[in-house]
Amino acid sequence: MIAEADYLKLDAVAQADLVRRGEVTAGEFLEAAIRRADRINPRMNAIVLPMYEIARARARERLDGPLAGVPFLLKDLHQDYAGVPATSGSNALRRARAVPERHSEIVERHLAAGLVIFGR
C-alpha cells in the first residue's frame, strides 16, 4: 500500500514509470487515489459519480500506454463512458438517466493511454 503523502509527490509520468517497473501496482495507486478522493470529496463535491468497481476491474487488467496504471477522473461534460450515466451537469439528463452506449473519443484516448478512470 502506498502512503497518501508518497502518492501526492508523484505526477502521472512518475506513477506510470513505477507501474511499468513493477515497483507499485495500478491497484495500489488506484486505492491511494480512492482514499484521497473519499477523504476530500465531502468538502469539494467534485466527484459526482464514483466508478470505483469499474476502475478496480481495469486496474487488474494488463494495461498498456504511456500512462498505464495512473488513476484519473473524467469531467462530466462530453466525456462519455459506455454504460455509465452522463449528465453534462444537466438535471434533465440526470432525470432522463442518460447512459451512453459507447465511449466518447476522448475517453477512448484516455483508455488507450492506460489511464484507470475511477469517477467523474
Side-chain angles (χ1 to χ4, degrees):
M1 180 165 77
I2 186 165
E4 184 176 327
D6 295 329
Y7 169 73
L8 293 174
K9 291 177 187 175
L10 302 168
D11 66 11
V13 173
Q15 289 178 29
D17 185 52
L18 289 173
V19 170
R20 191 172 12 267
R21 292 187 308 187
E23 294 181 32
V24 180
T25 68
E28 289 173 309
F29 276 133
L30 174 61
E31 293 305 324
I34 289 172
R35 283 192 310 274
R36 172 82 172 159
D38 284 347
R39 191 169 67 71
I40 65 171
N41 196 54
R43 290 183 305 220
M44 295 182 65
N45 195 32
I47 301 174
V48 297
L49 182 66
M51 297 167 51
Y52 298 169
E53 293 314 310
I54 292 170
R56 286 180 175 123
R58 179 160 166 79
R60 289 189 295 269
E61 297 173 5
R62 185 184 183 297
L63 300 170
D64 291 318
L67 298 175
V70 175
F72 192 74
L73 293 168
L74 295 176
K75 179 126 176 93
D76 189 20
L77 187 60
H78 307 297
Q79 295 189 28
D80 294 343
Y81 195 105
V84 176
T87 66
S88 297
S90 165
N91 283 329
L93 288 176
R94 185 173 289 112
R95 285 191 300 274
R97 300 174 196 249
V99 179
E101 294 179 8
R102 50 183 275 237
H103 300 314
S104 64
E105 178 64 26
I106 189 66
V107 170
E108 288 284 356
R109 291 178 185 218
H110 291 329
L111 295 172
L115 293 170
V116 178
I117 298 168
F118 70 102
R120 66 168 70 232

